[in-house]
Amino acid sequence: MTYLERAIADGYAFVTGSEGKEWITYVTSDNHKEKYSDPEEKVRAEFWAELIYEYDYPANRIKVEVTIPDRVPTDRADIVIFSDDECKKPFAVVECKKDGVTDAEFLQAIEQGVGNATWVKLRASYVVVIAGATRRVLD
């Protein structure tokens, strides 16, 4: 059973729709809904569940699509892990990309993640960039 399958079984998320037109709802992130058939969303969903089951982050402290202060209103962080139950103190910002991106695309994702996590934005201590099996963690 994958981490995501386990999260769905435990009620943290659910997937609806038909093949190719699936949507995932992250129950613990204020019922946030995204198009699950998007390859990048599959990476985010699996890593989101991995954070819960492999790294023991409380599900209620992990939010998806978090608005970045001082940015264009549509700019959002893919995942933000908070250090408090009120979700006011960001601990880590996660930038997700689909599996198989180029090195240049991965470096651009690093810049985006670091930009979102800086002290003038979310003020998070860590940045995680993930594209399938390719991962980088920065402090």
Side-chain angles (χ1 to χ4, degrees), residues 14-48:
F14 60 90
V15 176
T16 57
S18 58
E19 188 173 336
K21 296 180 181 180
E22 299 160 310
W23 292 85
I24 185 166
T25 300
Y26 298 91
V27 175
T28 59
S29 188
D30 305 321
N31 286 316
H32 184 81
K33 186 176 179 180
E34 289 290 330
K35 188 175 180 182
Y36 184 65
S37 51
D38 179 344
E40 188 173 299
E41 193 60 40
K42 291 182 184 298
V43 170
R44 173 171 43 191
E46 191 60 46
F47 189 67
W48 167 83

Side-chain angles (χ1 to χ4, degrees), residues 29-104:
S29 188
D30 305 321
N31 286 316
H32 184 81
K33 186 176 179 180
E34 289 290 330
K35 188 175 180 182
Y36 184 65
S37 51
D38 179 344
E40 188 173 299
E41 193 60 40
K42 291 182 184 298
V43 170
R44 173 171 43 191
E46 191 60 46
F47 189 67
W48 167 83
E50 184 177 333
L51 290 168
I52 297 167
Y53 294 105
E54 179 68 21
Y55 301 107
D56 294 320
Y57 287 109
N60 65 311
R61 291 184 179 186
I62 306 170
K63 301 293 180 193
V64 298
E65 289 298 306
V66 176
T67 301
I68 304 299
D70 300 328
R71 299 283 300 247
V72 176
T74 57
D75 285 347
R76 302 181 189 284
D78 290 331
I79 298 173
V80 177
I81 304 163
F82 292 89
S83 60
D84 62 317
D85 287 337
E86 294 76 29
C87 296
K88 301 287 184 197
K89 299 175 187 169
F91 174 71
V93 172
V94 181
E95 180 62 33
C96 300
K97 297 295 177 192
K98 68 181 181 179
D99 193 16
V101 298
T102 65
D103 289 346

